[in-house]
Amino acid sequence: SSSSSSSSRLCPYLDLPIQHSHNDILKLMRRKTTEQDIISTIQTLRQRLPHVYLRTSLMVGFPGETEYHFEHLLHFVRYMELDHVGVFMYSNEDLSHSSRLPNQVPEAVKQDRYR
């Protein structure tokens, strides 16, 4: 039947809005998740849907992100073996909570981490 032939060409695809992996940065972002929550979710998806294609977007240069946090993020990406990772740089939005946070990351550092 046509439905079985078309379904064999479909790929289970999920976009996970992770943004960062370090608990300090997740907290600053006001995310209601932890690194362990993210890891558990990914592991569960991989177990239940072995052929799932996992994509996410990650932010670099969020206020308060240190070199340690950034290296943690790189390790997380390597460890979790995500299928596709999009990266974007933090940019201030007027009146946003994050624009008023201390330890804004210099533009040159954000550019370097983005590469």
Side-chain angles (χ1 to χ4, degrees), residues 45-75:
L45 287 168
R46 293 271 188 223
Q47 288 169 355
R48 293 187 182 168
L49 301 167
H51 302 294
V52 69
Y53 184 92
L54 296 178
R55 181 201 181 284
T56 194
S57 295
L58 300 173
M59 183 186 305
V60 296
F62 193 82
E65 183 189 61
T66 64
E67 190 63 28
Y68 172 79
H69 296 124
F70 178 67
E71 290 295 327
H72 181 277
L73 184 61
L74 292 177
H75 175 76

Side-chain angles (χ1 to χ4, degrees), residues 20-31 33-38 69 72:
H20 212 283
S21 62
H22 198 282
N23 288 334
D24 293 349
I25 303 302
L26 291 167
K27 189 173 185 175
L28 287 169
M29 289 177 165
R30 296 181 166 179
R31 303 286 304 212
T33 191
T34 65
E35 177 187 17
Q36 191 54 53
D37 294 336
I38 295 167
H69 296 124
H72 181 277

Side-chain angles (χ1 to χ4, degrees), residues 53-102:
Y53 184 92
L54 296 178
R55 181 201 181 284
T56 194
S57 295
L58 300 173
M59 183 186 305
V60 296
F62 193 82
E65 183 189 61
T66 64
E67 190 63 28
Y68 172 79
H69 296 124
F70 178 67
E71 290 295 327
H72 181 277
L73 184 61
L74 292 177
H75 175 76
F76 174 85
V77 168
R78 287 184 203 112
Y79 172 72
M80 293 313 301
E81 298 180 348
L82 297 160
D83 298 298
H84 181 80
V85 176
V87 179
F88 63 101
M89 287 186 301
Y90 169 80
S91 62
N92 271 329
E93 297 290 330
D94 290 342
L95 305 177
S96 70
H97 160 73
S98 56
S99 70
R100 297 186 301 278
L101 289 174

